[in-house]
Amino acid sequence: QSALIQPASVSGSPGQSISISCTGSSSDVGGHNYVSWHQQHPGKAPKVMIYDVSNRPSGVSNRFSGSKSGNTASLTISGLQADDEADYYCSSYTSSSTWVFGGGTKVTVL
Amino acid sequence: QVQLRESGPGLVKPSQTLSLTCTVSGGSISSGDYYWNWIRQPAGKGLEWVGRVHTRGGPNYSPSLNSRVTISRETSKNQFSLKMTSLTAADTAIYYCARETWVSGRNSVLIDYWGQGTLVTVSS
């Protein structure tokens, strides 16, 4: 299985909205709705921000939202804040009952 | 509150076998619809899924690591473990254990708890 494709970096100013794409195939992203997004600050373990394409776990800000079209999922962060600066990884369940991650996107708040 | 903690050697020689353990507290690894995962991250690089084992024991492995990896449970100690053979420098990474939760009759899934990670360096 190949890693999901994410842009290496995305940046935005405080208060703006940014989106991160995650492209896979019909065997993973396009095959079901088990797509998650994880935030990782330097030196820390990842934290799930979105699961099942668009669901937020309890405690995650509603500034984070997810969507999917075909083989591409997207994470949108609205009202960008300094603490949103981190690496973001998408993950998808696959038709082989395994997980695959994206290469990661570094979000910079200008 | 569920907590996971990885333990194992920080340094392993090339060609040797890595053994890591994840100790789970705040919940049982042998009940519920959970998978217990290993995920690794080389320095400065992205996350790579290694494999998982279900509460009832069935494992799944990454196709690229399948021939070298075994994940098993030790229910009496509430632990699960990773064994990886034939190590090379490319296996140097932070290794995380994590819980994967299925809910709503398997209509929903998320990796909801992670350990803090343990650094494994493969070097002679």
Side-chain angles (χ1 to χ4, degrees), chain B residues 11-31:
Chain B
L11 180 64
V12 184
K13 289 182 167 51
S15 81
Q16 290 191 339
T17 296
L18 169 67
S19 293
L20 293 177
T21 297
C22 182
T23 301
V24 179
S25 57
S28 171
I29 69 161
S30 53
S31 63

Side-chain angles (χ1 to χ4, degrees), chain B residues 52-111:
Chain B
R52 64 180 187 171
V53 63
H54 191 256
T55 51
R56 288 184 286 279
N60 302 104
Y61 303 123
S62 165
S64 64
L65 298 171
N66 183 58
S67 63
R68 299 196 292 130
V69 169
T70 302
I71 297 174
S72 59
R73 302 171 306 145
E74 295 193 44
T75 56
S76 62
K77 297 181 180 179
N78 217 38
Q79 297 174 335
F80 64 104
S81 63
L82 168 69
K83 281 186 171 32
M84 183 179 294
T85 62
S86 305
L87 291 179
T88 71
D91 296 310
T92 295
I94 294 173
Y95 284 74
Y96 294 100
C97 57
R99 188 183 83 169
E100 171 192 337
T101 297
W102 288 81
V103 294
S104 304
R106 291 221 160 189
N107 288 321
S108 180
V109 62
L110 73 161
I111 296 177

Side-chain angles (χ1 to χ4, degrees), chain A residues 1 34 36 38 40 43-48 51-52 55 57 87 89 91 93 96-104, chain B residues 35 37 39 41 45-49 52 60-63 96 100 102 106-112 114-117:
Chain A
Q1 62 195 23
Y34 300 143
S36 296
H38 309 268
Q40 186 180 36
K44 300 293 187 181
K47 171 189 173 184
V48 63
Y51 67 99
D52 295 348
N55 289 341
D87 294 324
Y89 295 91
S91 64
Y93 200 59
S96 302
S97 299
T98 62
W99 286 93
V100 61
F101 282 91
Chain B
Y35 282 89
N37 288 258
I39 296 160
Q41 185 173 35
K45 297 189 178 181
L47 299 168
E48 180 184 17
W49 185 76
R52 64 180 187 171
N60 302 104
Y61 303 123
S62 165
Y96 294 100
E100 171 192 337
W102 288 81
R106 291 221 160 189
N107 288 321
S108 180
V109 62
L110 73 161
I111 296 177
D112 51 358
W114 295 70
Q116 83 281 5

